[in-house]
Amino acid sequence: MTDDLESHLAAALRSTAEERTVEDRWDRIAERSHEKPLARGRFGRSLPVLVAAAVIVIGLVVAAVVVTTRSSRVAGVTDVLVTSNPTVGREPSTAVSSVVPIDLATSGWVPGNGGDGALLAGRLTIDAGGCVRVGTTVAIWPRGFTARLDDQKLELLDPAGRVTARGGDELALGGGSSAGPATGPCSSVIGEVFQVQSDVRIVGVPIDLPTSDWRAGDLAMEALLTGPLMLGGNGCVTVGGTTVLWPSGWTARTSVSGVEILDSAGEVFAESNQVIEAGGGMVPLPADQVTSCSPGSGTFSIQGEITVVG
Amino acid sequence: MADRAGADDASTGSALRRLYDDHFAVLVRTAFLLGADDPEDIVAEAFVRFVDRREALRDPAAAGGYLRRSVVNLTRNRIAHLGVARRALPALIDPRDRPSRSEASAAGHDLLRAVEGLPARAREVVVLKYWLQLDTAEIAAARAVRPSTVRSHLFAALEAIRRTWPEVGAGEFEEGQS
């Protein structure tokens, strides 16, 4: 039966493909490919390397200037940079304290309070005036959040003093916009600011995803699981509220929407709130595989085709 | 120096032309079966990008593999760009054709409908295997995945096709072929 299906499949594809007329594109290919060697000139393949090197050098120079400027502008930094020895002055880098607190704009919001449903996504940065931003937007952080420059690197800390994000991290935040101006170093900002009313989620962080050893061709159960992909507050990925053993080699990471699942080839297969349909069945797990995200019972092992249906 | 550069360009041009003659039509039809709405443009783009890898021109087998992989990737990107992945890939067959077809052809149409309904990755494996007749390792190279992934996708694809193409379809096809 399989051989019949395969031979019929080959015949149908061949028939359809050969009916398709093919338009000539040689002139376009020849014209465009002729332009490339001329554009490269005698530098050939070394030109991109030279350009990249020049960009890196310029970037380092600009970064040094920005860091120097920022250090002198951030509130309170000047005092901290000077050591207790007045003869040392401001020159020696060895005398610089590595941790500098940042005046961070905060609100009275705490987890458990209601919040708006808007999304703010962007990189965590600090501008030359010491104003902490997400992308280009000024963020007003939940109560108790603080920030500091640790060895000139921005760190955002939660109320418990744990570093929750660093400068350059891609963040996804829930909350809502409100009229400015903000306070402190962001007081000069005109326009709306974003009130953060959620946990701070860093995009692209790997999530532990339970997987099975089942492979195509193995004996398979034939139950069907359908439901939306979700990332729970406990950090566990579920489909329709059910914990799942994913195919071998599949992984997950945080995303702007919450979570995204990658297949064994590293391609994004699905993301939060997409409806997934998968074949398989409920399986018990050996004690050594039981985790908070894959309980000993009530875990669905995917053992068949898995598709995104909505 | 200028003469040598000119000779290199001429050599590159003739090698590119040979590759075009050998591969262009097959790759256009491959992109078509994969669901591209502009297969000629996709394959032309693959050839232009290939010029950057002109050293591969000296190895025709490697050149074919590079072009194949490039076409698969460009087609996938094109489909994703159109926002039609997993929803409505371009049809392999014109629905208006069906009434005039023989039973064998109608059964073939059912098979193609089943291929159209596959997820993009499963469709790639089916087209590369049953149209280009590539083996598992070649398909894995064309899709930049492991051979085990190819086998997994192929198994799932055939299961899905079998579900939508029952034995009655196979019977009609065989009768029509004889």
Side-chain angles (χ1 to χ4, degrees):
Chain A
M1 177 63 189
T2 298
D3 289 344
D4 286 346
L5 175 62
E6 290 181 321
S7 62
H8 295 158
L9 198 51
L13 288 172
R14 187 170 58 248
S15 169
T16 302
E18 289 174 353
E19 284 177 10
R20 172 66 161 76
T21 56
V22 176
E23 296 173 18
D24 184 60
R25 288 285 191 278
W26 173 248
D27 289 346
R28 183 184 301 181
I29 293 170
E31 181 184 355
R32 288 187 57 196
S33 60
H34 183 64
E35 292 167 357
K36 292 198 170 190
L38 294 177
R40 291 283 174 86
R42 63 186 299 175
F43 288 105
R45 294 183 183 281
S46 61
L47 184 58
V49 177
L50 293 173
V51 171
V55 169
I56 290 171
V57 169
I58 292 170
L60 288 173
V61 171
V62 170
V65 170
V66 168
V67 167
T68 303
T69 306
R70 180 184 299 166
S71 298
S72 64
R73 291 187 185 180
V74 172
V77 170
T78 304
D79 293 339
V80 179
L81 288 173
V82 181
T83 68
S84 58
N85 183 351
T87 61
V88 175
R90 300 180 185 182
E91 293 178 3
S93 60
T94 54
V96 175
S97 170
S98 62
V99 178
V100 180
I102 300 294
D103 190 2
L104 189 71
T106 59
S107 69
W109 189 90
V110 294
N113 289 358
D116 295 330
L119 174 71
L120 174 64
R123 290 197 183 281
L124 182 68
T125 61
I126 181 169
D127 66 19
C131 179
V132 175
R133 296 171 183 260
V134 175
T136 58
T137 303
V138 172
I140 309 298
W141 301 90
R143 186 167 71 196
F145 270 65
T146 56
R148 67 190 182 196
L149 285 177
D150 188 349
D151 195 18
Q152 304 294 352
K153 292 171 185 164
L154 175 62
E155 291 181 338
L156 182 71
L157 297 90
D158 66 12
R162 295 170 299 212
V163 175
T164 57
R166 292 186 167 81
D169 284 344
E170 182 83 22
L171 302 185
L173 305 166
S177 296
S178 64
T183 58
C186 301
S187 57
S188 62
V189 172
I190 298 172
E192 291 191 332
V193 296
F194 189 87
Q195 302 280 346
V196 179
Q197 295 165 340
S198 71
D199 293 334
V200 174
R201 185 167 67 244
I202 303 175
V203 174
V205 176
I207 296 174
D208 186 25
L209 193 71
T211 59
S212 72
D213 294 329
W214 186 89
R215 292 187 176 280
D218 294 348
L219 286 175
M221 292 182 279
E222 296 183 344
L224 187 67
L225 175 67
T226 304
L229 180 71
M230 302 292 288
L231 177 63
N234 55 359
C236 300
V237 178
T238 60
V239 173
T242 301
T243 53
V244 169
L245 287 179
W246 296 83
S248 176
W250 287 44
T251 57
R253 66 188 178 201
T254 57
S255 69
V256 171
S257 64
V259 62
E260 57 189 14
I261 301 290
L262 294 85
D263 64 17
S264 56
E267 297 173 9
V268 175
F269 172 78
E271 61 181 342
S272 286
N273 301 317
Q274 284 189 304
V275 178
I276 288 176
E277 189 174 277
M282 305 300 284
V283 295
L285 288 181
D288 61 343
Q289 290 185 27
V290 173
T291 69
S292 59
C293 289
S294 51
S297 60
T299 300
F300 186 92
S301 178
I302 294 175
Q303 298 178 349
E305 187 180 15
I306 173 169
T307 54
V308 176
V309 296
Chain B
M1 182 68 86
D3 288 346
R4 182 174 176 180
D8 284 348
D9 282 350
S11 171
T12 299
S14 62
L16 194 63
R17 179 69 211 198
R18 279 197 301 278
L19 274 176
Y20 179 89
D21 293 338
D22 290 344
H23 295 285
F24 185 78
V26 169
L27 289 173
V28 166
R29 290 180 169 120
T30 302
F32 165 67
L33 291 175
L34 290 175
D37 63 336
D38 53 353
E40 279 90 352
D41 291 340
I42 281 177
V43 179
E45 180 64 26
F47 270 85
V48 171
R49 293 185 184 191
F50 179 72
V51 174
D52 281 337
R53 308 230 336 160
R54 63 178 63 188
E55 69 276 10
L57 283 165
R58 301 189 190 99
D59 181 355
Y66 177 87
L67 287 167
R68 219 156 37 219
R69 181 168 173 170
S70 187
V71 166
V72 170
N73 286 336
L74 289 169
T75 302
R76 189 185 298 157
N77 292 344
R78 174 66 178 164
I79 291 170
H81 175 71
L82 293 172
V84 295
R86 300 191 184 94
R87 288 200 293 273
L89 301 180
L92 294 176
I93 50 179
D94 185 340
R96 293 167 299 184
D97 285 350
R98 180 160 185 170
S100 64
R101 300 277 179 154
S102 65
E103 283 187 341
S105 182
H109 277 57
D110 288 342
L111 267 179
L112 294 174
R113 289 271 182 242
V115 172
E116 285 173 359
L118 293 173
R121 290 164 300 167
R123 182 171 174 168
E124 287 172 9
V125 174
V126 167
V127 169
L128 294 173
K129 179 170 179 61
Y130 297 110
W131 159 241
L132 290 184
Q133 304 285 314
L134 302 184
D135 61 29
T136 301
E138 290 171 322
I139 296 171
R143 301 180 66 237
V145 298
R146 290 196 295 268
S148 60
T149 304
V150 172
R151 285 192 286 271
S152 172
H153 287 166
L154 181 62
F155 176 81
L158 291 177
E159 286 295 297
I161 292 172
R162 193 173 287 114
R163 279 198 298 272
T164 56
W165 192 68
E167 283 190 48
V168 60
E172 288 174 2
F173 193 86
E174 284 160 2
E175 286 169 18
Q177 289 289 83
S178 58

